[in-house]
Amino acid sequence: MLSNLRILLNNAALRKGHTSVVRHFWCGKPVQSQVQLKGRDLLTLKNFTGEEIQYMLWLSADLKFRIKQKGEYLPLLQGKSLGMIFEKRSTRTRLSTETGFALLGGHPSFLTTQDIHLGVNESLTDTARVLSSMTDAVLARVYKQSDLDTLAKEASIPIVNGLSDLYHPIQILADYLTLQEHYGSLKGLTLSWIGDGNNILHSIMMSAAKFGMHIQAATPKGYEPDPNIVKLAEQYAKENGTKLSMTNDPLEAARGGNVLITDTWISMGQEDEKKKRLQAFQGYQVTMKTAKVAASDWTFLHCLPRKPEEVDDEVFYSPRSLVFPEAENRKWTIMAVMVSLLTDYSPVLQKPKF
């Protein structure tokens, strides 16, 4: 009954042009969320507390429930526009952002390297200031994290990292939503990373401990994660009482793991290293042999696109593989990011367990 009341009140508020007037009901008592993300940048999950990341996941679950399951129309971003800068091609990041922003009533504008050249034809400072005058937010998928940092410094609107050489935070939000839906909670899970010490692993390391999750990562020698990120991840693990282990043995990383995770061995811009990388990553393919040493409830994640040398078909297409729900959740999580950074909307759905 309280749930129906909240939905009715929120719908009434939306008709009046307000985005959030309803308090949450938690354990039978009305409470107000203390998390306020409006106006923030999302460059890395390092800059967000566990409570703030939980809030984005809660909002993702709320939007998914209200729009997908209940069929509600929520024009939360009506009248707002998004600049989308893509130096790298993409399927999931582009499609999830464009369709998600539009579904909420906003207007996304896609800009490729043929339309905009960051720091080439126009300085990053000038680009940031021009975009700030014409859009409400920018999602940028770039080669260098430093370009995102400059955009954020010079822009007066939120800047969202759609992928960089160091981090891919919006992918990790989708991963965590997928795992929460599957396991019912994130606390206590062991994430077994098997692959390159890249931006995906970096983003996991900047956030997993904040949920009480453990990390067991295996990377080939010479392909370890950034030492500064490892140092900070060790600090997070100590603060949150979780485990962080690094190894060069894939089976050691997989042993007892709840979630087996890998990614491409050859990222965009690394094509010249293909032969060298394929040789270095021999023995890192995720197979049922890998899964045999994992926990009995093991699942598999891959952010896609996937190559057979990274994970074989038996694992990738098995019932334990969550890769396609993971891909779909890219949409609900980026929608939640945009709503949280651009509006005062609060979730109606009861907060999930994390």
Side-chain angles (χ1 to χ4, degrees):
M1 183 175 179
L2 288 176
S3 177
N4 292 334
L5 176 61
R6 290 198 302 271
I7 292 172
L8 288 171
L9 289 173
N10 256 17
N11 287 340
L14 288 171
R15 286 195 294 271
K16 294 179 181 178
H18 302 297
T19 53
S20 176
V21 298
V22 182
R23 291 178 293 177
H24 314 307
F25 290 87
W26 185 242
C27 297
K29 298 180 180 179
V31 296
Q32 193 79 36
S33 173
Q34 298 301 310
V35 175
Q36 176 54 258
L37 302 180
K38 188 176 181 181
R40 295 266 301 269
D41 299 312
L42 175 52
L43 305 181
T44 165
L45 294 176
K46 175 177 68 175
N47 298 336
F48 290 79
T49 65
E51 184 182 12
E52 290 171 335
I53 302 172
Q54 282 187 26
Y55 181 80
M56 288 188 279
L57 296 178
W58 177 15
L59 183 50
S60 304
D62 175 83
L63 294 175
K64 187 175 184 178
F65 175 76
R66 295 190 67 182
I67 296 172
K68 182 179 181 179
Q69 295 187 35
K70 303 294 289 184
E72 294 184 56
Y73 176 54
L74 300 177
L76 301 172
L77 299 179
Q78 189 168 1
K80 297 191 182 297
S81 59
L82 174 71
M84 298 172 58
I85 300 174
F86 277 55
E87 289 187 326
K88 293 185 173 186
R89 65 186 181 271
S90 166
T91 299
R92 280 147 295 278
T93 301
R94 178 180 178 180
L95 196 59
S96 62
T97 305
E98 280 192 335
T99 59
F101 204 83
L103 183 59
L104 292 168
H107 179 80
S109 183
F110 183 70
L111 302 167
T112 70
T113 53
Q114 303 302 312
D115 307 300
I116 187 170
H117 298 271
L118 286 179
V120 179
N121 290 342
E122 187 172 38
S123 70
L124 286 167
T125 295
D126 293 355
T127 297
R129 294 181 182 182
V130 169
L131 289 172
S132 295
S133 72
M134 297 184 182
T135 66
D136 296 283
V138 169
L139 179 139
R141 185 176 174 92
V142 300
Y143 284 98
K144 296 186 293 183
Q145 179 74 22
S146 58
D147 285 348
L148 285 167
D149 295 336
T150 301
L151 284 173
K153 179 183 177 182
E154 300 296 338
S156 59
I157 56 175
I159 304 296
V160 177
N161 182 353
L163 176 144
S164 73
D165 55 345
L166 275 185
Y167 300 112
H168 196 359
I170 59 176
Q171 175 63 54
I172 302 311
L173 293 176
D175 291 358
Y176 290 173
L177 179 62
T178 305
L179 294 177
Q180 194 283 329
E181 290 174 337
H182 181 82
Y183 289 102
S185 176
L186 299 179
K187 187 174 183 179
L189 292 179
T190 295
L191 308 181
S192 296
W193 176 268
I194 300 169
D196 193 13
N198 63 11
N199 51 7
I200 299 290
L201 178 56
H202 289 165
S203 291
I204 292 173
M205 295 174 78
M206 291 297 94
S207 56
K210 297 172 184 178
F211 287 86
M213 290 188 285
H214 313 289
I215 299 174
Q216 299 175 174
T219 58
K221 292 181 180 179
Y223 296 91
E224 294 87 357
D226 183 286
N228 292 323
I229 292 176
V230 173
K231 185 176 181 179
L232 186 54
E234 290 173 342
Q235 179 183 323
Y236 288 156
K238 184 177 181 180
E239 291 172 354
N240 292 279
T242 61
K243 298 176 183 177
L244 171 65
S245 64
M246 310 295 298
T247 180
N248 301 121
D249 183 350
L251 289 181
E252 183 181 342
R255 187 162 285 109
N258 304 104
V259 190
L260 304 177
I261 315 172
T262 193
D263 185 22
T264 182
W265 296 347
I266 306 159
S267 297
M268 284 175 279
Q270 297 175 337
E271 288 80 5
D272 292 344
E273 303 175 31
K274 182 175 181 178
K275 185 175 180 181
K276 178 183 177 182
R277 282 177 165 268
L278 288 176
Q279 184 174 1
F281 282 81
Q282 287 297 310
Y284 274 75
Q285 184 190 46
V286 178
T287 66
M288 284 300 177
K289 179 182 177 182
T290 317
K292 281 182 180 178
V293 303
S296 59
D297 63 349
W298 69 270
T299 55
F300 175 76
L301 293 179
H302 191 305
C303 68
L304 306 180
R306 159 257 186 179
K307 301 293 189 300
E309 61 263 25
E310 299 152 5
V311 52
D312 68 8
D313 285 354
E314 190 176 7
V315 170
F316 187 78
Y317 292 111
S318 76
R320 302 295 190 98
S321 175
L322 303 179
V323 295
F324 296 112
E326 176 188 14
E328 181 196 340
N329 280 336
R330 288 293 306 277
K331 179 172 181 172
W332 303 110
T333 48
I334 193 60
M335 289 167 67
V337 167
M338 294 302 171
V339 169
S340 64
L341 300 185
L342 295 175
T343 79
D344 297 308
Y345 174 80
S346 294
V348 171
L349 187 72
Q350 188 180 54
K351 186 177 181 180
K353 181 181 178 182
F354 293 106

